[in-house]
Amino acid sequence: MAYGRKGDLGHADLASAQSAFMRGDLKTARQLATRAKTRFPIGSPGWVKSDDISTYKPKPNEMQF
């Protein structure tokens, strides 16, 4: 919420994507991370983190939440 109030929508989307990812909501995490990627310069730390979440593929034997 703090990022959103400051108008920093890239970091707001990224923080929400990270939260969704940690609670196991991969669909929401991917959607938010994909949107966050458009708000950061390509290759920046925020873009890379967003890209990691948006392209994450769980391994077949990896435990799901």
Side-chain angles (χ1 to χ4, degrees):
M1 287 177 45
Y3 285 123
R5 287 182 182 155
K6 288 174 49 179
D8 189 348
L9 300 180
H11 282 103
D13 285 341
L14 177 56
S16 295
Q18 289 173 320
S19 176
F21 184 85
M22 292 305 295
R23 67 175 181 268
D25 185 355
L26 298 181
K27 181 180 177 185
T28 300
R30 282 189 189 109
Q31 290 171 342
L32 290 165
T34 299
R35 186 168 68 188
K37 276 176 60 174
T38 68
R39 300 177 189 270
F40 291 110
I42 295 173
S44 68
W47 186 93
V48 172
K49 290 175 187 177
S50 299
D51 186 59
D52 286 345
I53 294 170
S54 66
T55 60
Y56 174 76
K57 301 276 192 265
K59 295 177 182 147
N61 60 350
E62 191 170 20
M63 197 171 170
Q64 296 290 313
F65 294 96

